Amino acid sequence: MPTLTMVESLNRALHEAMDTSNRVVVMGEDVARTGGVFRVTAGLLKRFGDERVIDTPLSESGIVGTAVGMSLYGMLPVVEIQFDGFIYPALEQILVHVARFGWRTNAEATANLVIRIPFGGGVRAPELHSDSPEGLLAHSPGLKVVCPATPSDARAMLLAAIAHPDPVVFMEPKRIYRAGRQEVAEEMPFDLHTANGATTTMLSTARVARDGEALVMFAYGSTVPLCIEAADRLEAQRGVNPRVVDLRSLYPLDVEAICTHGADCGRALVVHEAPRMAGIGAEVSSLIHERVMLDLEAPVGRVTGFDVPFPQFANEEDYLPSVDRITAGAIKVLEF
Amino acid sequence: VTELLRVLGDGRDLPDKPIPNGLGEKELLEIFRWLVILRTFDERALTLQRQGRVGTYPMFWGEEATQAGPLYACEETDWIFPSYRQCAVGILRGIPPATILGWVRGYGGPAGFYNPREYRVGPIIVPIATHLPHATGAAWAAKILGDRTSSLAWFGEGATSEGDFHEGLNFASVFKTSTVFFCTNNQWAISTPVSRQMGTRTVAEKAAAYGIPGIRVDGFDPLACYVATRDALERGRNGDGPTLIEAVTYRIKAHGTADDPSLYRDEAEVQKWIHLEPVGRLAEFLRRAAVLDDERDQAIRAEAKELIAEGVRGLESIEQPGPEVLFDHVYASGKPWTFDEQLAEIRSVARQESAEPPQPPQRTGEAEVPEERG
């Protein structure tokens, strides 16, 4: 099996999907000739041509809006929003049309597209290049919102998102795009055309990222490796052994995994970069409190970004959940 | 500013122009039949609203030419994208009138939603201008797949103020999609006159910003609307890209059944335009051309009346769906676990209410409601 970074793995998935179906088109700003600002779409133009690998005008609403029309016609568009903070002009198309076409057509003509969004901070970028808008999207009925944390998941989940009959918002943690390499399977995980059941499972289940029992940390994207590091530190320094669960799916949340791990460990912490207010962490915390409160030894804790605009990059370490902050948050839950 | 394209005279000052090529007696009568179907639907839907049998309804009385004319120029395989003002145009593509009436009523059972792919009719779009990029995308997809399929989107002059107007036209222009952007400039967006929408004199001249043709037609003239669209589609199919058509018309009725135009416009203005309304105007033209007589006219109107009456009967035979309709068709892949729980929540409350009548609240010492003070 080849050993790939997340960027390489996503790139391979796009090649595989475009190879499998001529209905797959890749569109966005600078995705063709430069291969995307993060090079996720590198090489596609040469292989598949400029009709299917499309440099668009600088217009997020136009990109998503025309992709809706393409999807209606039977295409499978994979659109790239260049940076998280550029999603805002496209929100009307996403919330009003992408999310609602299924509802509006008796589920017979969903807006069957994938919206890829490189997101999150930690890359010392200008304003609006470090946001975490996944809460806005998970809050909008009709979408599925997912976020891989490993190269292997990135490929399988992107293929699943493309094959899935509903629109999928695909959050890509850009901070760990090239953070590490992992063996990535070579065989296609499912038939792109007839994969509903398999893709639904792939796109709605959490996974255990680190075994343990003293406390469970729920995270996704770039905070998963941070939680693993914090858990290793807690084990080394305090002799407690935390579990880390990678949520992977932000809508729908894997309620079974969340409650099972929450009850099993009796102590839980939720970690994300997005602001705390009405974030994914609030929902995870509520689910645990509502369903398995009697199994808990402590209230569920949260370590998140703050309720402020993402700061200028000189101060981004103050905003981002760090290993120190996650460790401190875990100790607070452990010592309750 | 381009000249206003017009075929029909008005029986007064405006002379008739020659009938466009390709329109024989059969075609002319078919366009008339389509106008009559739309008019019949519109009047019936308004009556149903006044009777409380359907919800808020956006009338299009007087704008039938802007719908039937362009649609008649389309191939069956072309995609059309209506806004709410063209909610009934899909009937001319075979969507049952009961389905459209179900949309206006707020429920139509599963049949209250149509499959756009079955009719090549986009869903009825309520937000303004956001379906223009959809029309561009559909024709763009056809181009990528090598199909000779075009698309057409309707929108009002108010929609030209929205960003998606620009984005739809710009993408279509850049990628040379075969798309007709058909603007029904009825001069009013609820209470906002066209002079508050744009600083340009016309909608058509905005086409220059996209390097595409901008055509102005008499929006009360179905044959002018037809010809302009037919020519635009031919250009599009030949690879010459999109066209912006401005149909100059007038909103004879209110914006919708909840609107009262007497608050913001002089009814005398309506009288300046109403004699141009397309159903009577085409009927008179066809009579002058010896294509229509009393017998045909009555047969067409009777047929339309029956079609819509059948729709009303169909509508009333549909029972209001239960709460499962909230959850049933949000996702094609099946319901997420939250839906089962949330539906059960609705059902559990309803069950308890029907099981025992509500009791007055029990007062306990501590929770006692304080007495009202004078």
Side-chain angles (χ1 to χ4, degrees):
Chain A
M1 284 196 284
T3 305
L4 304 177
T5 64
M6 187 182 287
V7 163
E8 291 162 350
S9 167
L10 291 166
N11 181 264
R12 224 189 74 197
L14 290 170
H15 276 90
E16 288 166 324
M18 294 195 79
D19 244 346
T20 308
S21 168
N22 68 356
R23 294 188 303 138
V24 178
V25 292
V26 167
M27 54 199 287
E29 293 154 10
D30 312 300
V31 297
R33 282 211 271 179
T34 69
V37 295
F38 295 104
R39 308 291 179 264
V40 173
T41 52
L44 293 173
L45 174 67
K46 196 171 168 206
R47 173 92 165 269
F48 299 104
D50 64 0
E51 286 212 309
R52 291 176 61 207
V53 184
I54 305 159
D55 278 332
T56 65
L58 209 166
S59 165
E60 290 77 15
S61 181
I63 294 166
V64 176
T66 52
V68 168
M70 282 195 180
S71 151
L72 210 46
Y73 198 81
M75 305 294 269
L76 297 170
V78 181
V79 312
E80 175 176 303
I81 300 298
Q82 196 166 68
F83 282 93
D84 36 58
F86 302 176
I87 193 76
Y88 306 118
L91 279 181
E92 183 174 17
Q93 284 292 344
I94 295 173
L95 307 190
V96 168
H97 294 306
V98 176
R100 292 181 189 223
F101 254 58
W103 177 82
R104 205 179 277 148
T105 63
N106 211 18
E108 289 175 297
T110 54
N112 188 11
L113 50 136
V114 177
I115 302 173
R116 294 182 37 243
I117 312 174
F119 83 110
V123 295
R124 303 188 74 72
E127 193 189 356
L128 291 165
H129 291 62
S130 299
D131 279 17
S132 293
E134 65 273 17
L136 289 173
L137 301 158
H139 188 68
S140 303
L143 301 172
K144 300 225 167 163
V145 184
V146 301
C147 177
T150 66
S152 174
D153 273 356
R155 169 184 177 258
M157 288 168 70
L158 183 54
L159 286 169
I162 294 168
H164 195 63
D166 290 306
V168 179
V169 176
F170 196 86
M171 307 298 299
E172 296 177 2
K174 62 165 110 75
R175 187 184 190 179
I176 56 170
Y177 260 160
R178 294 183 168 83
R181 291 179 175 275
Q182 188 185 27
E183 286 194 335
V184 176
E186 285 192 274
E187 72 282 3
M188 285 294 271
F190 30 68
D191 181 340
L192 215 53
H193 303 287
T194 57
N196 183 11
T199 63
T200 301
T201 307
M202 187 77 228
L203 296 174
S204 57
T205 50
R207 80 180 168 100
V208 175
R210 183 190 190 279
D211 268 327
E213 71 292 316
L215 160 104
V216 55
M217 301 181 190
F218 294 103
Y220 55 90
S222 63
T223 53
V224 172
L226 298 178
C227 285
I228 292 172
E229 203 181 323
D232 290 346
R233 187 189 290 182
L234 284 164
E235 190 175 13
Q237 296 181 354
R238 298 193 159 228
V240 292
N241 191 21
R243 186 178 299 176
V244 178
V245 171
D246 174 6
L247 289 170
R248 297 199 293 194
S249 174
L250 308 183
Y251 190 89
L253 285 167
D254 185 347
V255 64
E256 204 181 310
I258 289 167
C259 291
T260 305
H261 294 299
D264 199 22
C265 298
R267 297 174 194 270
L269 183 72
V270 202
V271 182
H272 56 64
E273 265 185 52
R276 189 167 305 167
M277 172 66 196
I280 301 294
E283 189 61 34
V284 172
S285 171
S286 272
L287 287 175
I288 296 172
H289 286 129
E290 283 169 358
R291 285 156 201 262
V292 292
M293 194 182 78
L294 296 180
D295 295 304
L296 293 184
E297 306 292 335
V300 177
R302 282 186 282 171
V303 174
T304 66
F306 300 114
D307 296 343
V308 297
F310 193 91
Q312 286 201 288
F313 67 78
N315 278 81
E316 70 179 339
E317 296 307 330
D318 295 330
Y319 174 94
L320 292 166
S322 58
V323 174
D324 289 341
R325 205 144 64 80
I326 295 166
T327 307
I331 290 170
K332 205 172 149 194
V333 174
L334 285 164
E335 292 183 346
F336 178 81
Chain B
V1 175
T2 56
E3 199 188 331
L4 195 71
L5 182 72
R6 177 183 284 134
V7 176
L8 302 187
D10 64 352
R12 300 187 198 174
D13 319 319
L14 299 173
D16 290 340
K17 303 258 178 69
I19 295 173
N21 289 338
L23 291 182
E25 188 176 299
K26 179 169 153 266
E27 291 79 19
L28 291 166
L29 284 172
E30 184 66 358
I31 292 173
F32 180 64
R33 191 176 77 88
W34 282 16
L35 288 183
V36 171
I37 288 171
L38 291 172
R39 172 65 55 88
T40 309
F41 178 94
D42 186 72
E43 291 182 343
R44 192 80 181 95
L46 180 60
T47 305
L48 291 170
Q49 194 279 334
R50 297 299 187 222
Q51 294 167 338
R53 291 155 80 188
V54 299
T56 306
Y57 172 70
M59 294 80 78
F60 54 79
W61 201 101
E63 294 184 28
E64 298 87 348
T66 64
Q67 301 178 21
L71 182 61
Y72 198 72
C74 291
E75 300 287 337
E76 271 289 307
T77 46
D78 291 340
W79 272 79
I80 58 170
F81 292 83
S83 81
Y84 56 85
R85 189 75 64 201
Q86 295 81 30
C87 64
V89 76
I91 293 172
L92 305 175
R93 273 282 177 87
I95 297 174
T99 300
I100 307 299
L101 288 168
W103 176 80
V104 183
R105 179 174 62 176
Y107 69 89
F113 301 87
Y114 57 87
N115 180 353
R117 294 191 180 117
E118 190 177 337
Y119 304 98
R120 279 107 30 237
V121 180
I124 300 166
I125 296 298
V126 172
I128 304 303
T130 52
H131 57 306
L132 272 57
H134 304 171
T136 301
W140 188 3
K143 190 177 172 184
I144 292 169
L145 295 175
D147 297 344
R148 278 175 65 84
T149 305
S150 303
S151 63
L152 182 148
W154 284 277
F155 54 99
E157 82 288 350
T160 67
S161 304
E162 294 275 11
D164 277 331
F165 167 80
H166 167 69
E167 306 196 65
L169 269 70
N170 188 49
F171 271 66
S173 156
V174 170
F175 296 101
K176 287 210 176 324
T177 71
S178 181
T179 306
V180 178
F181 296 99
F182 199 97
C183 178
T184 57
N185 176 3
N186 70 15
Q187 308 186 45
W188 289 97
I190 307 189
S191 67
T192 308
V194 63
S195 60
R196 273 291 165 98
Q197 299 294 351
M198 59 195 77
T200 54
R201 273 196 57 219
T202 68
V203 171
E205 68 200 76
K206 293 173 188 290
Y210 306 98
I212 65 174
I215 315 289
R216 293 187 94 209
V217 301
D218 178 346
F220 288 117
D221 180 342
L223 303 192
C225 292
Y226 163 80
V227 169
T229 309
R230 186 185 67 182
D231 294 349
L233 289 168
E234 197 175 314
R235 275 196 300 279
R237 281 191 286 264
N238 289 338
D240 294 331
T243 301
L244 173 63
I245 298 175
E246 174 188 7
V248 180
T249 180
Y250 187 85
R251 202 192 71 210
I252 303 286
K253 303 262 174 160
H255 162 72
T257 48
D259 176 35
D260 175 9
S262 73
L263 294 171
Y264 53 81
R265 77 180 184 191
D266 185 354
E267 275 307 289
E269 198 180 290
V270 179
Q271 296 313 311
K272 282 197 296 195
W273 294 91
I274 198 166
H275 75 285
L276 292 169
E277 68 79 18
V279 178
R281 190 167 163 207
L282 182 61
E284 284 170 28
F285 176 87
L286 295 180
R287 283 168 188 271
R288 289 197 292 277
V291 170
L292 189 69
D293 55 22
D294 285 350
E295 195 184 331
R296 279 177 163 171
D297 194 352
Q298 280 160 19
I300 285 169
R301 286 173 198 266
E303 185 211 348
K305 204 174 162 190
E306 178 47 32
L307 175 72
I308 305 306
E310 172 62 31
V312 176
R313 286 194 294 275
L315 177 77
E316 300 201 328
S317 72
I318 300 165
E319 280 187 36
Q320 184 175 342
E324 65 280 356
V325 76
L326 275 62
F327 305 94
D328 271 351
H329 49 85
V330 179
Y331 293 98
S333 57
K335 284 180 252 182
W337 62 268
T338 49
F339 285 16
D340 295 329
E341 287 197 1
Q342 290 167 13
L343 178 58
E345 183 179 332
I346 299 177
R347 291 210 161 119
S348 68
V349 171
R351 194 165 54 241
Q352 279 177 14
E353 274 179 4
S354 60
E356 28 179 310
Q359 301 293 315
Q362 298 291 314
R363 290 188 175 189
T364 64
E366 278 181 16
E368 196 148 5
V369 179
E371 282 187 18
E372 245 182 294
R373 289 178 190 157

